[in-house]
Amino acid sequence: MSGSQMSWVAQPGKPLVGEITVPGDKSVSHRSVMFGAIAEGTTRVTGFLEGEDTRATAAILSRLGVRIDAPSAGERVVHGVGLHGLRGTAEALDCGNAGTGMRLLAGLLAAQRFDSVLIGDASLSKRPMRRVIDPLQQMGARIESEGGLPPLRIHGNNVLQGIDFECPVASAQLKSALLLAGLYARSPTTVREPHPTRDYTERMLRAFGADIDFSPGLATLRPGQALIATDVDVPADFSSAAFFLVAASVVPGSHLRLRRVGMNPRRTGLIDALKLMGADITVSPVGEQGGEPVADLEVRATQLRGATIPEPLVPDMIDEFPALFTAAALAEGVTVVSGAAELRVKESDRIAVMAAGLRSLGARVEEKPDGAIITGGALHGGHADSQGDHRIAMSLSVAAQCASGEVRIDDVANVATSFPGFDQLARGIGFGLRLA
Ligand code: S3P
């Protein structure tokens, strides 16, 4: 069966009950192997996400001459080669489905002495790269692409200068690409954001010994410092927990606990949004893991109400809109999402694909250029297409738990990019979900 032919059949299961741990954070996993690769010494990563996206990044670093051992699932030992130790390869470097992999590696590879080519799958090949190409070129990089889309042909042997850059979009990937290039520049690099985004790159660079100052929405990196290997213990991914926060809120009788979830404040906007909708979620902080706050989350089913999602929350929940759309379709009343045009350039056009998926189950969704107006109500069975978008597949499977009939969801193989084993974990707590 080819990946795009893989489908799920989902139907109402039981109330969702139990205690689960979701896999490691995708953003932190990508960065842990990248920074470990260009550090001096050996970085041990635990809790590494065994997803296709993060494995693709590790495989690319191996191609560039970095030894990365995998002694057990979720564990990586990265034998760092130092800032100047990567070796070029004539082979194209395949980032798979991963925007984070491609954009961050573009920054790193733009600063090397060798040429490289970054490619991706059909979805990644449609995603905008101009946002990283333009400022990297202002720093002195040379990158060729057709129409600002992958593949990226990156030329080496350039002298990079630092940049003081005001980002036109709130994007942690853009910020991180510039900071990675900035490690190699002749002068400091400052990145200013229109809204603060996840600061894993800044935190991790500091933990690896880089000379970096940062506060929400602003980061300045001074080059000239070697990175020193540091172990990274990856917390559980909030974005993977998100599907279960919504599922246990909407499936009557549910009571679910999620253990030790990463709670970086730039990631947890969905909790605020769901609470506005009347969700019953208790957050119990349990300390830090890998320099990030972690918490146990407890959620009980309630009747959600529609809400207007405040625009300042959008960057803090940018990956959670497919799940939020599902919550809105099952809430009482109207939910309004605006200021979220970035959703149109994610793994799919998430506004259009979620709207189509939910409508095929009977939901009322009005699309807007930068969001949607969703009127909650009852869902029926049907046939929906995730268009190869992992988060849409999982969000539709949550919606199906409350539909009156069976829901077939097509093109679900890419769930393995971020959440391998989602279906087993979900079945274990009561989901009705199986491979078609
Ligand atoms: C990510 C940043 C976000 C997010 C993506 C992961 C990161 O993308 O949507 O899933 O790890 O930096 P943008 O930078 O495009 O907002």
Side-chain angles (χ1 to χ4, degrees):
M1 198 185 316
S2 88
S4 61
Q5 287 164 346
M6 202 171 130
S7 302
W8 281 334
V9 174
Q11 71 232 107
K14 296 182 267 219
L16 308 177
V17 177
E19 189 164 315
I20 53 173
T21 306
V22 298
D25 188 279
K26 183 150 70 81
S27 295
V28 176
S29 296
H30 278 296
R31 287 161 173 82
S32 67
V33 287
M34 281 188 207
F35 299 172
I38 53 170
E40 289 172 12
T42 304
T43 292
R44 182 177 294 276
V45 184
T46 42
F48 182 79
L49 172 65
E50 296 288 357
E52 288 171 2
D53 278 9
T54 44
R55 284 174 186 238
T57 291
I60 286 174
L61 295 164
S62 302
R63 291 263 157 70
L64 297 171
V66 183
R67 190 175 133 210
I68 302 181
D69 301 326
S72 66
E75 204 181 340
R76 290 294 183 280
V77 179
V78 186
H79 300 271
V81 295
L83 280 175
H84 300 285
L86 298 176
R87 287 197 315 264
T89 166
E91 272 173 83
L93 301 169
D94 190 351
C95 301
N97 193 243
T100 304
M102 184 169 286
R103 294 198 178 116
L104 269 61
L105 286 168
L108 178 61
L109 292 172
Q112 304 301 318
R113 296 202 187 94
F114 50 83
D115 298 349
S116 348
V117 179
L118 291 174
I119 60 171
D121 71 3
S123 150
L124 184 52
S125 298
K126 288 190 231 146
R127 297 185 64 188
M129 294 295 146
R130 189 95 72 195
R131 55 181 65 187
V132 290
I133 296 172
D134 286 349
L136 288 171
Q137 282 182 332
Q138 286 173 39
M139 295 174 80
R142 283 177 302 143
I143 303 177
E144 288 172 57
S145 79
E146 241 170 71
L149 298 174
L152 301 184
R153 292 173 201 288
I154 302 173
H155 297 281
N157 260 328
N158 303 297
V159 176
L160 300 190
Q161 302 297 336
I163 193 173
D164 186 332
F165 190 70
E166 197 128 351
C167 297
V169 283
S171 163
Q173 294 175 356
L174 166 54
K175 167 176 64 178
S176 303
L178 302 186
L179 293 173
L180 277 165
L183 286 171
Y184 296 85
R186 291 279 171 88
S187 51
T189 290
T190 294
V191 186
R192 302 169 197 274
E193 302 182 285
H195 296 281
T197 64
R198 64 191 75 189
D199 56 0
Y200 299 122
T201 296
E202 297 92 307
R203 288 175 188 230
M204 215 185 282
L205 280 175
R206 177 176 283 166
F208 277 76
D211 184 358
I212 185 166
D213 292 328
F214 58 96
S215 55
L218 181 67
T220 297
L221 176 107
R222 284 167 293 273
Q225 206 78 38
L227 299 188
I228 306 300
T230 306
D231 292 349
V232 181
D233 189 9
V234 182
D237 198 322
F238 183 87
S239 295
S240 296
F243 306 107
F244 295 110
L245 291 179
V246 171
S249 294
V250 297
V251 176
S254 297
H255 180 195
L256 201 61
R257 285 199 184 84
L258 294 145
R259 273 186 304 257
R260 300 189 67 78
V261 180
M263 296 291 287
N264 182 297
R266 300 277 74 87
R267 296 289 299 283
T268 52
L270 179 73
I271 293 186
D272 300 329
L274 288 175
K275 283 194 170 167
L276 276 177
M277 298 173 78
D280 178 355
I281 300 173
T282 307
V283 176
S284 307
V286 288
E288 285 207 349
Q289 187 173 337
E292 294 291 329
V294 286
D296 289 341
L297 306 180
E298 187 170 1
V299 51
R300 286 187 172 81
T302 46
Q303 176 58 59
L304 298 181
R305 302 178 300 271
T308 295
I309 308 303
E311 289 194 12
L313 269 189
V314 168
D316 293 352
M317 55 180 292
I318 194 63
D319 291 333
E320 277 55 83
F321 280 97
L324 188 274
F325 274 37
T326 288
L330 291 159
E332 238 169 49
V334 178
T335 295
V336 180
V337 173
S338 60
E342 272 292 297
L343 296 177
R344 297 211 179 264
V345 290
K346 292 293 179 188
E347 287 84 327
S348 70
D349 175 342
R350 286 188 168 155
I351 297 174
V353 179
M354 267 318 280
L358 289 171
R359 274 189 210 121
S360 64
L361 308 182
R364 281 165 58 200
V365 185
E366 188 189 334
E367 265 191 62
K368 297 284 177 189
D370 65 340
I373 300 175
I374 302 162
T375 306
L379 299 181
H380 54 63
H383 190 168
D385 192 333
S386 79
Q387 305 266 346
D389 186 320
H390 54 133
R391 298 201 200 285
I392 288 186
M394 291 183 272
S395 299
L396 292 173
S397 81
V398 173
Q401 301 313 303
C402 295
S404 59
E406 197 170 87
V407 178
R408 185 187 167 100
I409 307 164
D410 286 339
D411 205 354
V412 302
N414 273 343
V415 168
T417 60
S418 71
F419 201 155
F422 167 79
D423 48 345
Q424 291 99 302
L425 194 62
R427 269 195 301 277
I429 54 163
F431 265 61
L433 183 64
R434 60 180 164 80
L435 274 180

